[in-house]
Amino acid sequence: MHRGLHPAERVADYTARGWWSDETMDALFRARVAAEPDRVALVDPANKAALTGESPRRLTWREIDAETDGLADLLLSHGIGAGDIVGLQLPNTVELVVAYLACWRIGAVVSPLPVQYREREITGLGALAGFTAFLTAARVGERRPAEEITALRGDLPALRTVIAFGDGLPDGVVPVVYAEGAAERVAAHTAAHPADPNDCVTICWTSGTESTPKGVPRTHLDWLAMSWATVDAPRLTGDDVLLNPFPMVNMAGINGMFLPWLRVGGVLVQHHPFDLPTFLRQIEQEKATYTVAPPALLTMLLAREELLAATDLSSLRLIGSGSAPLAPPMVRGWQERHGIGIINFFGSNEGIALLTDPHDVPDPEERALYFPRFGAPGVTWSSRIAEQVSIRLVDPDTGELVTEPGVPGELRIKGPMVFPGYLGGEALASPFDADGYLKTGDVFVIAGEDGRFLRYVDRAKDLVIRGGMNIAPAELEGLLAGHPAVAEVAVVGYPDAVLGEKVCVVVVPRPGAEPELGDFVEFLRSCRIASYKLPERLELRAELPRNPVGKILKRDLRAELVAGEGA
């Protein structure tokens, strides 16, 4: 049933500290509806007609509430209720928001999947989670997801019901049609089945950049505690217009945009699939005040000033960015040329949102490189989560605590926003250490004045070990992102019989550029880095392999390099 995921003693402790409360997702949404029922709150992608065949819509809080009841009633009528797992595969549209809210209203658990996932991912993850229902669309671009799911029913033994938005559905798929009296029936159900804040509300999936994705269950408690990080850093209010280009399937889309919108109100403008002209047009037409974008895009836009000059950016005050190290020239360029602050994000599905914002760290160079080291003696931070997160760095070899600046250590965290453990965790190695800290697998060093910051080094598993010396690809990627010939870059290790591994730079060049390895070696020498870190191989690519949520698949690059060695 996926009820009561956190142990009772943790719930009692964090509740007594004021970090957790009896808030639920549905209660938060109902408060927004009650506060401003007739204010426009949710906007479809401008290109929705091409995406799903449906016209774009703009819904008020009251209209979202009515559709939430309608879909919740439909789910109940097909036996879907508290604790049932609903697989969800929809693009960023108003229907996706309604789907989350409807499931949460009746206590069902949402397991969102990127729209790019196909048979292999859907059957594997669906069987692992035990999908009892699947909610999707008749059409997404050129694909017919409802038909695809229908063909997979034999491989999903727990699946009872497939429900889809849109027309032209195959036999056996339930169309989304709202019935009269839905609100009354749903109210009766929720009164009889009240939600517990410790109930599971989502099962998201790790990105799978290095292995098979793992299920990450989360409750009302930890999601809502986490949401304060992404409310406080951009200082969001009900006057903000949030433009969301990230798929609402994991931390970036859910905690970066969706939950802050539920917290403060305002307007959530959806965007899908990513299309730069549409994205820029939405900033201007919707008067977006806050959005998120990957570092490569922000770097490219600064180099294409003609695109920005043709767009009215005057409403935009902040942009969040992360998933890869930020280049200081990019952060400084947006601030100095356009007066737009870049928030540096670091997060994971499992545990934390570290955000460096212009209020706490006004210097763009520092903001690009560093994250808050919560708990550093004598240092205060404006976000309320600063008092709730316990952070330590641990030497991955010795297990000793790292307290000296510049010494790499694995980040370990504890606090009210940490997830309770992986789906089927009894069959997996525990992600927690003996003291209950989440072992993130991310390597940081203590940095900055008074040791107030953390500087990201790399994923522990991504480190290149050359002749016994650890090399952090993220450091080199951050530097090379500033090279004028580089549009995108990834750094990986490749086997060497003598040294164990050497460094390869994989580059997508800017149009017209034809860089050579020596260009990058000289550039890195000018950055005054240690000579053992210098790359010894260059591969040029038209694009980098990425998973459906945009993370570079370094395992694929490494496999290509190994295959090339053996060819």
Side-chain angles (χ1 to χ4, degrees):
M1 288 289 287
H2 298 279
R3 314 299 292 267
L5 297 188
H6 292 282
E9 59 270 21
R10 183 182 303 156
V11 176
D13 179 21
Y14 289 169
T15 301
R17 295 170 185 259
W19 299 347
W20 282 350
S21 71
D22 60 0
E23 272 188 325
T24 65
M25 301 292 200
D26 188 51
L28 200 62
F29 171 56
R30 289 179 187 273
R32 299 265 62 82
V33 176
E36 298 182 292
D38 297 314
R39 180 178 174 182
V40 171
L42 182 61
V43 178
D44 254 327
N47 53 347
K48 185 182 182 182
L51 185 64
T52 67
E54 306 288 330
S55 298
R57 298 192 293 156
R58 308 173 76 86
L59 300 183
T60 66
W61 290 105
R62 190 194 307 273
E63 289 167 337
I64 303 168
D65 190 41
E67 295 201 13
T68 295
D69 273 333
L71 184 55
D73 180 57
L74 180 63
L75 291 167
L76 289 172
S77 72
H78 286 272
I80 307 302
D84 283 315
I85 314 299
V86 179
L88 180 61
Q89 191 178 37
L90 287 168
N92 279 359
T93 58
V94 300
E95 288 81 11
L96 178 59
V97 173
V98 168
Y100 272 105
L101 295 172
C103 289
W104 292 340
R105 181 155 289 180
I106 60 174
V109 180
V110 179
S111 185
L113 304 177
V115 294
Q116 297 96 325
Y117 276 10
R118 300 219 177 189
E119 179 179 354
R120 177 180 174 85
E121 295 93 351
I122 293 170
T123 55
L125 303 184
L128 184 61
F131 291 168
T132 53
F134 202 91
L135 188 52
T136 187
R139 177 166 80 85
V140 178
E142 299 302 314
R143 291 177 58 194
R144 297 280 176 176
E147 292 181 7
E148 294 173 11
I149 297 301
T150 300
L152 300 178
R153 294 184 80 150
D155 296 316
L156 295 167
L159 186 64
R160 303 193 306 264
T161 308
V162 178
I163 301 173
F165 293 90
D167 300 321
L169 299 174
D171 292 342
V173 175
V174 177
V176 175
V177 178
Y178 302 142
E180 291 292 328
E184 292 76 14
R185 289 188 292 273
V186 171
H189 173 86
T190 55
H193 303 84
D196 185 314
N198 198 19
D199 287 346
C200 183
V201 291
T202 59
I203 300 174
C204 297
W205 301 92
T206 60
S207 60
T209 53
E210 294 300 324
S211 60
T212 301
K214 294 189 284 288
V216 180
R218 279 192 170 273
T219 71
H220 301 269
L221 293 170
D222 43 80
W223 264 134
L224 292 175
M226 174 83 81
S227 69
W228 284 119
T230 41
V231 168
D232 289 345
R235 284 160 176 73
L236 297 177
T237 72
D239 294 327
D240 277 301
V241 177
L242 312 182
L243 175 56
N244 176 37
F246 280 8
M248 281 179 21
V249 298
N250 59 13
M251 182 61 62
I254 298 173
N255 193 59
M257 286 277 151
F258 186 25
L259 296 185
W261 169 71
L262 283 181
R263 274 262 179 238
V264 304
V267 181
L268 179 65
V269 180
Q270 295 282 57
H271 179 92
H272 195 114
F274 188 80
D275 177 74
L276 183 56
T278 303
F279 181 69
L280 295 175
R281 188 165 66 250
Q282 283 180 297
I283 292 175
E284 180 174 314
Q285 293 181 348
E286 302 293 344
K287 294 182 169 50
T289 60
Y290 178 58
T291 190
V292 289
L297 173 65
L298 296 177
T299 299
M300 182 275 286
L301 285 172
L302 280 181
R304 297 279 304 278
E305 284 289 347
E306 73 278 6
L307 292 177
L308 297 181
T311 305
D312 182 359
L313 300 175
S314 59
S315 62
L316 195 60
R317 58 186 184 86
L318 290 166
I319 302 173
S321 192
S323 79
L326 304 190
M330 181 273 284
V331 179
R332 185 175 61 250
W334 278 94
Q335 182 163 310
E336 293 179 354
R337 293 190 222 167
H338 301 284
I340 295 173
I342 303 296
I343 298 176
N344 193 359
F345 276 37
F346 176 85
S348 71
N349 278 320
E350 293 91 340
I352 198 167
L354 293 175
L355 290 85
T356 314
D357 65 79
H359 177 84
D360 283 341
V361 187
D363 179 71
E365 301 271 342
E366 290 189 334
R367 202 176 336 124
L369 296 173
Y370 301 137
F371 296 97
R373 182 185 169 214
F374 296 141
V379 182
T380 59
W381 303 93
S382 59
S383 176
R384 69 200 78 192
I385 73 162
E387 304 301 319
Q388 303 172 10
V389 181
S390 180
I391 285 176
R392 56 174 57 165
L393 296 186
V394 176
D395 185 296
D397 296 322
T398 67
E400 297 294 320
L401 287 179
V402 173
T403 58
E404 295 299 316
V407 178
E410 180 190 34
L411 177 69
R412 299 190 181 180
I413 56 174
K414 184 192 288 188
M417 62 289 301
V418 175
F419 84 133
Y422 291 116
L423 184 68
E426 61 278 359
L428 302 170
S430 173
F432 302 100
D433 67 16
D435 296 320
Y437 282 75
L438 175 67
K439 297 181 288 186
T440 66
D442 295 296
V443 178
F444 285 78
V445 295
I446 297 169
E449 181 185 356
D450 304 324
R452 67 180 58 211
F453 293 127
L454 295 172
R455 180 173 63 80
Y456 179 68
V457 175
D458 219 322
R459 289 289 296 169
K461 65 184 69 171
D462 282 343
L463 290 175
V464 178
I465 305 175
R466 182 187 186 278
M469 301 296 287
N470 289 352
I471 301 169
E475 178 188 18
L476 299 180
E477 290 162 355
L479 294 171
L480 289 171
H483 191 284
V486 172
E488 293 186 85
V489 60
V491 172
V492 294
Y494 65 98
D496 180 77
V498 177
L499 295 171
E501 287 184 296
K502 290 183 177 179
V503 173
C504 177
V505 178
V506 185
V507 167
V508 177
R510 291 192 183 279
E514 298 180 3
E516 297 181 354
L517 177 62
D519 300 329
F520 297 132
V521 170
E522 289 308 309
F523 179 80
L524 290 172
R525 286 189 191 279
S526 72
C527 298
R528 300 187 181 280
I529 67 168
S531 59
Y532 70 84
K533 299 179 183 179
L534 295 173
E536 293 165 272
R537 181 171 173 179
L538 170 65
E539 295 285 332
L540 300 180
R541 295 283 192 276
E543 60 182 7
L544 298 177
R546 296 180 183 273
N547 69 6
V549 293
K551 289 192 175 181
I552 296 172
L553 290 168
K554 291 193 172 182
R555 65 159 185 256
D556 288 4
L557 292 175
R558 286 192 287 265
E560 290 175 16
L561 295 179
V562 170
E565 289 291 313

